[in-house]
Amino acid sequence: MSGFVFNEKPIQIERGDGAYVYDDSGTEYLDMGASYACVPLGHGHPAVQSAVSEQLEKITYVQASYPNAERTALYDLLADTAPDPIDKTWLCNSGTEANEAALKFARSATGDSKIVATMQGFHGRTMGALATTWKNKYKKPYEPLIGDVEFVPYDDSEALDEAVDEDTAAFIVEPVQGEGGINPASDGYLEAAREITEDAGAALIFDEVQTGIGRTGALWNSQRAAVAPDMITAAKGLGNGLPVGATLCRDWIAEDYGSHASTFSGGPVISAAAGATVSTVLEDDLPEHAATMGDYLQTELEAAIGDDVRDIRGEGLMIGVEVGRGANAALKELALNHQVLALPAGRTVVRLLPPLTIDESHADAVVDAMAEVVG
Ligand code: PMP
């Protein structure tokens, strides 16, 4: 028996420590993205390791309809740290599932069905989330998906204003598009989205699966824009590598969410992991550190390789570099010749999503490698 869905890379990663991972022959790689924004604290962070081990000793599963102390503490922590007035949380196992729930909750709470989503957006691959994802290749073999989804150009508030109407249940948007190529929203776009959705009685969903947990310079990107959506979805970095997702909601959504549940929702182990992760991100001021290191990295990359073709863009430690040729070839060279692991975003963008704990020496190493590979 073998798996069949992943295009495997020629490196088998066995262990991680901070910003580094090690393959089965002991070679060290700088992890600038292989962890996919999933380890904001770096690999093997002691706060998460010990919270998880202590929980493993106590109990690993509590039926979701009973409270458990770790889940209650996580609800409180997320309520305290989310933009007001968001203070209710639905916990699940992935980003896709968090978005799937958000779409369902929006339909139930508004009584409407139409969903507005953005071109180049990515929200997951289950039938509902997939219907709001842009790329045709991901959708074609599985059609028909859920109907009533309208796509608008990203970062265009006029088009959004035209699309959102009284039949709209939700507008779902990434504050910085990730899979679509690292496209940050312009100043004012998220604020306009807030006004447009509010006027139409539609829910505004910020998909913060990539931008959340401090990556773009605030715990939630919503706080950078000073916009409180109706829902924020999170996953990836929330459990520092363990599978946990969350749909954070305002009361009017939580009060009328319909009927939704899942066996592993808010299990004690992932709740302990997420609690330790979010607390440590905040205690160690990692959002601020991500903003500083992101500025440093972007400036250094700009100086080393920036030109008209090689656009460098992003917010905090969510950075994209247009490499002007196949991103996969550049990534392979970075990995095999320079021991730097990064990610693609589309065909021409190398994406950097390192642990938020990196310092200037890590940034310098990736700049040197990028200069050799694409300079
Ligand atoms: N939303 C965004 C913005 C994402 O980048 C992703 C994953 N790339 C998802 C949702 C889906 O998350 P998951 O893979 O955890 O289901």
Side-chain angles (χ1 to χ4, degrees):
M1 187 69 87
S2 63
F4 63 93
V5 290
F6 286 101
N7 178 10
E8 286 183 3
K9 308 282 187 296
I11 296 168
Q12 179 156 309
I13 296 168
E14 275 193 353
R15 142 184 111 71
D17 184 10
Y20 294 96
V21 293
Y22 300 84
D23 72 10
D24 50 357
S25 67
T27 303
E28 180 181 270
Y29 298 86
L30 178 58
D31 184 357
M32 294 299 293
S35 58
Y36 219 139
C38 291
V39 288
L41 305 175
H43 295 277
H45 193 282
V48 181
Q49 306 289 95
S50 60
V52 168
S53 335
E54 277 167 31
Q55 190 51 45
L56 287 173
E57 294 289 317
K58 281 197 241 166
I59 189 164
T60 53
Y61 182 72
V62 176
Q63 199 215 318
S65 56
Y66 291 86
N68 69 71
E70 290 66 33
R71 185 179 71 182
T72 306
L74 179 59
Y75 285 157
D76 290 346
L77 178 62
L78 292 174
D80 285 350
T81 55
D84 284 338
I86 292 178
D87 69 354
K88 298 285 190 307
T89 300
W90 158 253
L91 290 166
C92 57
N93 312 289
S94 72
T96 301
E97 207 187 328
N99 284 329
E100 196 72 33
L103 298 173
K104 287 177 70 178
F105 296 172
R107 280 191 166 180
S108 173
T110 61
D112 294 319
S113 75
K114 177 169 147 182
I115 310 287
V116 177
T118 62
M119 295 175 185
Q120 281 81 45
F122 185 95
H123 303 293
R125 305 209 201 205
T126 53
M127 291 300 219
L130 183 59
T132 64
T133 288
W134 170 247
K135 216 175 191 178
N136 233 357
K137 178 176 125 183
Y138 299 158
K139 299 191 280 191
K140 247 320 170 258
Y142 311 109
E143 285 171 355
L145 305 174
I146 65 160
D148 233 358
V149 179
E150 182 174 338
F151 287 93
V152 290
Y154 186 68
D155 209 24
D156 179 339
S157 38
E158 268 174 41
L160 183 65
D161 200 19
E162 268 173 44
V164 172
D165 56 24
E166 71 274 13
D167 299 325
T168 303
F171 171 49
I172 182 164
V173 63
E174 296 156 85
V176 180
Q177 284 189 328
E179 304 303 310
I182 308 293
N183 307 314
S186 310
D187 288 349
Y189 177 61
L190 300 173
E191 289 83 345
R194 177 65 287 179
E195 231 179 274
I196 291 165
T197 45
E198 199 160 304
D199 287 351
L204 177 62
I205 305 168
F206 282 176
D207 178 342
E208 295 228 36
V209 168
Q210 259 182 71
T211 54
I213 326 297
R215 179 147 302 276
T216 59
L219 187 63
W220 306 106
N221 188 282
S222 325
Q223 290 158 324
R224 272 172 68 87
V227 173
D230 298 294
M231 284 179 266
I232 293 174
T233 56
K236 291 206 193 286
L238 183 55
N240 208 52
L242 288 172
V244 51
T247 308
L248 315 184
C249 309
R250 290 191 189 217
D251 280 345
W252 72 274
I253 303 279
E255 277 158 12
D256 194 9
Y257 71 94
S259 169
H260 188 71
S262 176
T263 301
F264 288 118
S265 172
V269 177
I270 56 98
S271 295
T277 304
V278 175
S279 306
T280 310
V281 163
L282 292 172
E283 279 159 20
D284 292 355
D285 290 328
L286 291 181
E288 210 183 320
H289 183 69
T292 310
M293 284 310 305
D295 284 349
Y296 178 78
L297 187 48
Q298 278 207 53
T299 308
E300 295 296 307
L301 283 167
E302 194 64 59
I305 57 168
D307 61 26
D308 289 350
V309 180
R310 296 197 205 90
D311 186 32
I312 294 154
R313 54 185 184 260
E315 281 182 20
L317 286 172
M318 183 171 181
I319 296 174
V321 181
E322 284 281 355
V323 292
R325 66 175 170 120
N328 278 325
L331 289 166
K332 196 167 167 192
E333 221 177 303
L334 280 170
L336 298 182
N337 301 348
H338 301 276
Q339 289 70 53
V340 171
L341 305 183
L343 279 169
R347 272 197 290 271
T348 60
V349 177
V350 166
R351 180 170 28 160
L352 305 174
L353 299 170
L356 307 185
T357 49
I358 61 162
D359 60 29
E360 288 188 5
S361 71
H362 302 114
D364 292 343
V366 74
V367 172
D368 289 348
M370 289 290 282
E372 297 245 348
V373 172
V374 300

